[in-house]
Amino acid sequence: MSKDSSLSKKSLDTILAHAGRDPLAFHGFVNPPVVHASTVLFPDVQTMLTAGQQFTYARRGNPTTDALEGALMEIEGAAGVKIANSGLNAIALAVLSCVKSGDHFLVADTSYGPTRHFADTVLPGLGVRVEYYDPGLGAGIKALFRPETTAVFTEAPGSLTFEMQDVPAIAAAAHGIDAMVLMDNTWASPLYCQPLSLGVDLSIQAGTKYIVGHSDVMLGTVAASERAWKGLDSFYGAMGCHVAPDDIYLALRGLRTLSVRLERHQRNTLSVLDWLKDLPQVCAIRYPALESDPGHALWKRDFSGSSGLCAFDFADGTTRDQAFAFLDALNLFGLGYSWGGFESLAIPVRLKGMRTASPFDPDRQSVRLHIGLEDPEDLIGDLDQALTKAFG
């Protein structure tokens, strides 16, 4: 689907409300239809043999799919977008569209755990050599390049520990050897960061999180630059990928409110962290939007906002039993691995086996929080009573 040039001149808030919609094409209805289909009929043999109509088979798209892909193309400034079954599926599709047997693939050491599992278990079997790198390298990543290096995977901020990366510097270095650059941009969503404008070739979202926003759909997206689009489109089609129209429709509905939801997530998170930072039980906050964060300058340069995902480290001497007692005492914060929905969540940060190329303290007790859309004063009250129960 081609981008609407009139929309590309508008603000992202306006694009969120209008992109992917063409009411006059569907009898004036504001939202596109949810098309359940497999077979598409042709008026004659010539049209069938030349694929001379917009839709030819449902696996290759339908009006519902086109609406979401078209909207995301506008938001991401992409040459094309593909929808996947989950965030991890989107990562796998993006990676496999640009690496092959014999290639060398560089992956940020702070990447999402399932990304590492995919890289460690699937790629070696396909003949791809994976190497993890310190996310703080920036342009220095070129020291790791080999003649067979074909792709670099970035994630900013990093999962669990929230280190920022100098993505434009990494992209410039990688493009010097004609390598593709991928970025997991789920934390900021395409609203607060547009990776393709930073030099990234494949921008990946776990749409399950902020795009859907209601904890009820698994979905992933990959937005491609001009140089990456042909490979992604070809590989996606060859793999027979398809996402159910009901899930796509729910993602499209969530997309319309992305701006207002993220604004509230950001505001609530800053309120909670402002209270949390002065507590004696806490020694560090991990959230790049804070001036105190080591990655703040990079965040301020490349991002226009922040989300509800953050972490904090307990003070030295905190035991695992105390950290777990804190988590078990929470009432409003659910214990769950996902995030990005309307609800607040918490998990213990466990890094053992997750870092091989950059330093970390395996004994540090940390908690990752997702700050939801509840009243921040109520969330603070819940954290306060849980800390009291855990620490006295």
Side-chain angles (χ1 to χ4, degrees):
M1 177 182 289
S2 61
K3 292 188 286 185
D4 184 337
S5 59
S6 64
L7 270 184
S8 63
K9 302 173 184 177
K10 307 296 183 184
S11 74
L12 280 176
D13 283 348
T14 300
I15 292 173
L16 283 170
H18 288 269
R21 295 197 298 114
D22 185 6
L24 296 183
F26 302 111
H27 310 287
F29 291 108
V30 170
N31 290 308
V34 182
V35 177
H36 294 91
S38 57
T39 304
V40 178
L41 299 181
F42 300 84
D44 51 60
V45 173
Q46 181 65 19
T47 304
M48 172 181 276
L49 296 182
T50 59
Q53 62 187 38
Q54 182 177 359
F55 301 110
T56 58
Y57 189 62
R59 176 166 44 77
R60 288 289 191 174
N62 67 39
T64 314
T65 306
D66 272 19
L68 181 57
E69 289 178 350
L72 289 170
M73 283 173 63
E74 294 289 343
I75 297 165
E76 298 248 25
V81 171
K82 288 299 182 183
I83 311 299
N85 293 299
S86 67
L88 179 58
N89 184 226
I91 289 166
L93 287 168
V95 172
L96 292 174
S97 74
C98 59
V99 300
K100 63 186 184 305
S101 180
D103 285 352
H104 177 233
F105 180 43
L106 287 165
V107 180
D109 201 32
T110 48
S111 293
Y112 174 55
T115 301
R116 293 183 74 105
H117 182 71
F118 166 76
D120 291 341
T121 60
V122 175
L123 293 182
L126 299 177
V128 177
R129 175 153 186 187
V130 176
E131 181 179 357
Y132 293 99
Y133 67 92
D134 187 326
L137 282 180
I141 196 171
K142 64 180 63 175
L144 301 179
F145 291 162
R146 303 175 183 178
E148 64 271 23
T149 302
T150 56
V152 179
F153 192 93
T154 67
E155 181 176 334
S159 287
L160 299 177
T161 48
F162 297 90
E163 293 93 337
M164 288 297 298
Q165 292 193 259
D166 192 341
V167 174
I170 292 171
H175 290 163
I177 60 167
D178 201 31
M180 291 288 189
V181 180
L182 299 80
M183 179 175 172
D184 185 335
N185 184 45
T186 304
W187 182 86
S189 87
L191 181 67
Y192 287 157
C193 180
Q194 288 80 49
L196 300 186
S197 70
L198 302 178
V200 170
D201 297 295
L202 291 164
S203 170
I204 305 161
Q205 312 283 331
T208 306
K209 277 54 173 184
Y210 286 123
I211 290 176
V212 170
H214 294 79
S215 301
D216 54 4
V217 173
M218 299 291 291
L219 189 126
T221 71
V222 187
S225 66
E226 289 284 353
R227 72 191 292 257
W229 171 239
K230 183 177 179 181
L232 176 66
D233 186 39
S234 176
F235 183 77
Y236 187 92
M239 290 297 291
C241 298
H242 176 71
V243 179
D246 294 290
D247 289 346
I248 290 176
Y249 180 83
L250 287 172
L252 191 61
R253 186 173 69 169
L255 190 69
R256 304 302 181 196
T257 62
L258 177 62
S259 180
V260 292
R261 286 186 288 105
L262 268 182
E263 183 181 4
R264 178 62 66 88
H265 282 296
Q266 178 178 231
R267 189 194 324 163
N268 284 1
T269 303
L270 290 170
S271 295
V272 170
L273 295 183
D274 186 58
W275 171 82
L276 199 63
K277 65 181 174 60
D278 296 322
L279 298 181
Q281 302 97 326
V282 175
C283 70
I285 302 289
R286 299 180 177 276
Y287 191 66
L290 297 179
E291 289 186 8
S292 59
D293 190 277
H296 180 71
L298 289 173
W299 171 84
K300 190 173 182 179
R301 185 192 69 186
D302 297 338
F303 291 63
S304 60
S306 57
S307 67
L309 198 68
C310 57
F312 69 88
D313 299 346
F314 283 111
D316 291 345
T318 301
T319 66
R320 188 178 72 164
D321 288 345
Q322 286 175 307
F324 285 9
F326 164 78
L327 289 165
D328 285 340
L330 292 169
N331 295 315
L332 294 180
F333 287 82
L335 300 180
Y337 284 111
S338 191
W339 48 276
F342 52 85
E343 78 283 20
S344 292
L345 297 168
I347 63 168
V349 172
R350 296 178 293 172
L351 294 177
K352 187 175 182 180
M354 295 286 291
R355 300 288 285 268
T356 55
S358 51
F360 75 98
D361 178 2
D363 297 320
R364 182 180 65 216
Q365 299 300 320
S366 303
V367 168
R368 190 187 76 181
L369 299 175
H370 178 253
I371 308 299
L373 303 180
E374 302 93 338
D375 188 306
E377 291 302 316
D378 291 334
L379 296 177
I380 289 170
D382 191 32
L383 293 169
D384 192 26
Q385 65 82 26
L387 286 168
T388 300
K389 288 182 179 177
F391 291 89

